[in-house]
Amino acid sequence: MTDRITVGRLFPNAVSPQPVRRTDPEPRVQTSSFDAMLQNQLVRFSHHAEERLRQRGIQLGPEQLVKLNTAIDKAASKGAKDSLMLINDTALIVNIKNRTVVTAMDGASMKDNVFTQIDSAMIIS
């Protein structure tokens, strides 16, 4: 037993480990799924809006949805938050940030109505 023991070491003459070099994995590029990308690009309808569309017999065709999508993009570029959008004889309240139609009204429901909690209005032709 001629080995030297130093304070702080458990084993005499132990080889100290080399510092561990960690190689950071390549940074992940966040690729969103196709579905998530579509959700960010397309118009969504809240449950309330879907009920109102069904109750009032309002049908929006693909052409109208494309126009609505374009109108939301324009409203977003102007800084709008909640917008009243008029398409033909239909009024839609749209949350611009979430790209979500909150409620919908037909021409008969719009008469003598006051629209509140909107910061912009857009007439889509």
Side-chain angles (χ1 to χ4, degrees):
M1 288 270 275
T2 61
D3 293 332
R4 245 176 70 198
I5 297 178
T6 47
V7 178
R9 291 192 181 193
L10 295 176
F11 302 102
N13 295 328
V15 177
S16 60
Q18 294 293 327
V20 177
R21 289 188 182 182
R22 293 187 180 183
T23 57
D24 291 332
E26 293 181 24
R28 284 188 179 181
V29 177
Q30 286 189 344
T31 56
S32 56
S33 68
F34 183 70
D35 185 42
M37 212 164 50
L38 278 178
Q39 291 300 325
N40 290 335
Q41 297 293 325
L42 298 179
V43 179
R44 291 180 290 227
F45 292 84
S46 68
H47 180 70
H48 176 79
E50 287 176 354
E51 283 183 16
R52 294 297 175 258
L53 289 169
R54 190 178 65 249
Q55 287 173 353
R56 295 172 176 154
I58 301 170
Q59 293 183 351
L60 298 174
E63 182 180 304
Q64 290 173 321
L65 290 176
V66 168
K67 288 180 181 181
L68 180 62
N69 196 29
T70 304
I72 291 173
D73 291 338
K74 286 181 184 178
S77 71
K78 297 289 184 178
K81 294 179 181 152
D82 291 298
S83 183
L84 167 67
M85 299 202 173
L86 300 171
I87 301 176
N88 301 334
D89 197 25
T90 305
L92 304 170
I93 304 292
V94 181
N95 180 289
I96 302 299
K97 179 183 173 187
N98 297 330
R99 303 183 74 81
T100 303
V101 176
V102 178
T103 193
M105 289 180 238
D106 58 352
S109 300
M110 278 192 286
K111 292 182 182 175
D112 297 326
N113 241 343
V114 175
F115 296 97
T116 60
Q117 298 181 357
I118 62 169
D119 62 4
S120 61
M122 191 164 213
I123 300 171
I124 303 169
S125 57

